């Protein structure tokens, strides 16, 4: 692959918790291609982890606090970004949240408050972030968010997160429509299951991983670098004509109508 696809470009990466985060794999791919990166973190103990990771691998990167459930933190995050640059080229929105109980109990029992919380952090935040980012994308830009098959089909235990991801995917399409005339593209990556902190809250992931290994067209699970490479494509000029799409990075699992059955 040619190096330097993102030379001279600056991007915001939201959602690094640790080295296993999908957002981190995106950041690594972008760093290799010459991008300047600005990260967010949540308050301690998460801040320390992110700062440690950056100090060892990306010492020049900047990082500021941004809890996306708080409008004032989104505003102050972008104020901090503007202290360093007037223009950004891309945003990776790679974050989600639901109460752990709601990923174990029956979906029908989801309390109103928890339903609202999951949709607020996991879906509405894309809209709020896009609103702040778009004015800084004076030369066009690319916004990428992370979703999962549980948005469109039932994945047992994914529950309210599936509903939040459906709202996220739809929000991405509406944003693509509104921001397209300004040259800003908005796309989703639908990633196969990955062993990250967020995924550890969902029961039954181990059996899903086995099903994919045995039954996805590529006969393997993906790793976060598979997602990082697709994100690189989407934020680069290679994807200049792509917006409003959900791209599957799932070893082809979503193409199957039924799982491969044992002989
Ligand atoms: N791991 C998987 O199997 C998988 C599959 C498909 C999609 N995804 C999606 O990918 C994205 C990244 O998840 P991941 O798997 O890398 O796990 P992760 O735990 O590494 O990342 C989730 C991030 O969300 C952040 N976050 C949670 N609440 C927040 C808030 N209020 N404000 C700001 N940030 C907040 C966390 O700090 C963390 O950095 C999520 O949207 C997830 O739903 C994950």
């Amino acid at each position: 692959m040619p190096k330097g696809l993102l030379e001279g470009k600056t991007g915001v990466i939201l959602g690094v918790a640790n080295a296993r985060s999908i957002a981190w794999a995106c950041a690594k791919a972008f760093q290799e291609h010459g991008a300047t990166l600005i990260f967010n973190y949540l308050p301690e103990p998460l801040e320390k982890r992110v700062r440690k990771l950056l100090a060892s691998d990306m010492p020049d990167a900047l990082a500021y606090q941004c809890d996306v459930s708080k409008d004032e933190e989104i505003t102050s995050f972008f104020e901090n970004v503007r202290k360093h640059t007037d223009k950004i080229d891309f945003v990776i929105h790679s974050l989600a949240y639901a109460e752990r109980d709601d990923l174990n109990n029956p979906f029908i029992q989801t309390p109103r408050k928890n339903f609202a919380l999951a949709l607020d952090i996991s879906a509405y935040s894309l809209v709020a972030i896009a609103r702040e980012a778009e004015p800084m994308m004076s030369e066009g830009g690319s916004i990428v968010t992370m979703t999962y098959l549980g948005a469109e089909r039932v994945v047992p235990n994914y529950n309210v997160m599936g509903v939040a991801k459906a709202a996220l995917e739809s929000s991405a399409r509406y944003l693509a429509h509104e921001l397209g005339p300004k040259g800003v593209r908005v796309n989703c990556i639908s990633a196969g299951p990955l062993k990250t902190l967020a995924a550890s809250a969902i029961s039954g992931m181990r059996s899903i991983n086995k099903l994919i290994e045995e039954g996805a067209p590529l006969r393997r699970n993906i790793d976060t670098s598979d997602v990082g490479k697709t994100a690189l494509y989407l934020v680069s000029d290679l994807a200049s004509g792509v917006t409003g799409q959900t791209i599957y990075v799932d070893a082809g699992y979503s193409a199957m109508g039924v799982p491969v059955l044992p002989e």
Side-chain angles (χ1 to χ4, degrees):
M1 212 187 312
K3 290 279 169 193
L5 286 173
L6 304 182
E7 217 62 66
K9 291 191 190 278
T10 302
V12 164
I13 311 272
L14 304 171
V16 173
N18 56 41
R20 282 185 296 156
S21 295
I22 294 174
W24 185 243
C26 296
K28 297 286 272 185
F30 302 168
Q31 180 197 37
E32 265 186 52
H33 281 265
T36 300
L37 301 174
I38 305 173
F39 294 81
N40 84 315
Y41 53 78
L42 286 177
E44 292 299 4
L46 289 169
E47 173 179 356
K48 204 176 286 166
R49 269 196 242 160
V50 175
R51 290 214 178 274
K52 206 169 152 195
L53 207 52
L54 294 181
S56 75
D57 284 33
M58 299 188 194
D60 296 334
L62 299 163
Y64 297 102
Q65 183 165 314
C66 183
D67 176 338
V68 298
S69 66
K70 297 180 177 147
D71 284 336
E72 60 282 11
E73 289 208 12
I74 295 179
T75 306
S76 70
F77 177 81
F78 279 94
E79 276 167 11
N80 282 320
V81 171
R82 282 191 292 273
K83 285 181 193 156
H84 300 279
T85 178
D86 292 336
K87 176 183 84 92
I88 56 172
D89 301 284
F90 59 86
V91 173
I92 295 294
H93 174 277
S94 183
L95 54 92
Y97 184 81
E99 295 292 353
R100 195 171 272 263
D101 278 354
D102 299 328
L103 304 171
N104 289 296
N105 295 336
F107 173 61
I108 202 169
Q109 285 177 12
T110 313
R112 183 187 295 267
K113 183 168 68 65
N114 296 8
F115 188 102
L117 179 72
L119 269 87
D120 181 25
I121 294 179
S122 315
Y124 175 73
S125 63
L126 179 71
V127 184
I129 294 292
R131 195 159 56 235
E132 286 283 343
E134 177 269 320
M136 298 188 72
M137 293 179 157
S138 46
E139 293 172 18
S142 172
I143 300 173
V144 177
T145 185
M146 302 299 161
T147 185
Y148 178 54
L149 191 62
E152 313 156 45
R153 303 189 207 158
V154 173
V155 174
N157 300 318
Y158 202 58
N159 297 359
V160 70
M161 190 51 79
V163 178
K165 291 300 191 194
L168 178 73
E169 292 181 11
S170 183
S171 302
R173 286 188 287 272
Y174 278 91
L175 290 169
H177 160 64
E178 288 186 5
L179 304 186
K182 295 170 184 162
V184 176
R185 300 180 289 106
V186 187
N187 291 289
C188 305
I189 294 179
S190 185
L194 287 154
K195 288 175 188 144
T196 62
L197 198 61
S200 68
I202 304 155
S203 353
M205 288 305 276
R206 200 175 298 163
S207 355
I208 294 180
N209 286 335
K210 192 161 179 286
L211 204 67
I212 289 171
E213 238 166 66
E214 291 170 3
L218 294 181
R219 300 291 192 276
R220 67 170 177 91
N221 277 289
I222 60 154
D223 62 39
T224 55
S225 76
D226 291 311
V227 183
K229 284 184 276 187
T230 296
L232 171 65
Y233 154 72
L234 283 173
V235 303
S236 80
D237 198 50
L238 293 177
S240 55
V242 180
T243 194
Q245 303 304 310
T246 298
I247 298 188
Y248 297 86
V249 180
D250 64 350
Y253 184 75
S254 56
M256 303 297 290
V258 289
V260 172
L261 303 170
E263 297 283 305

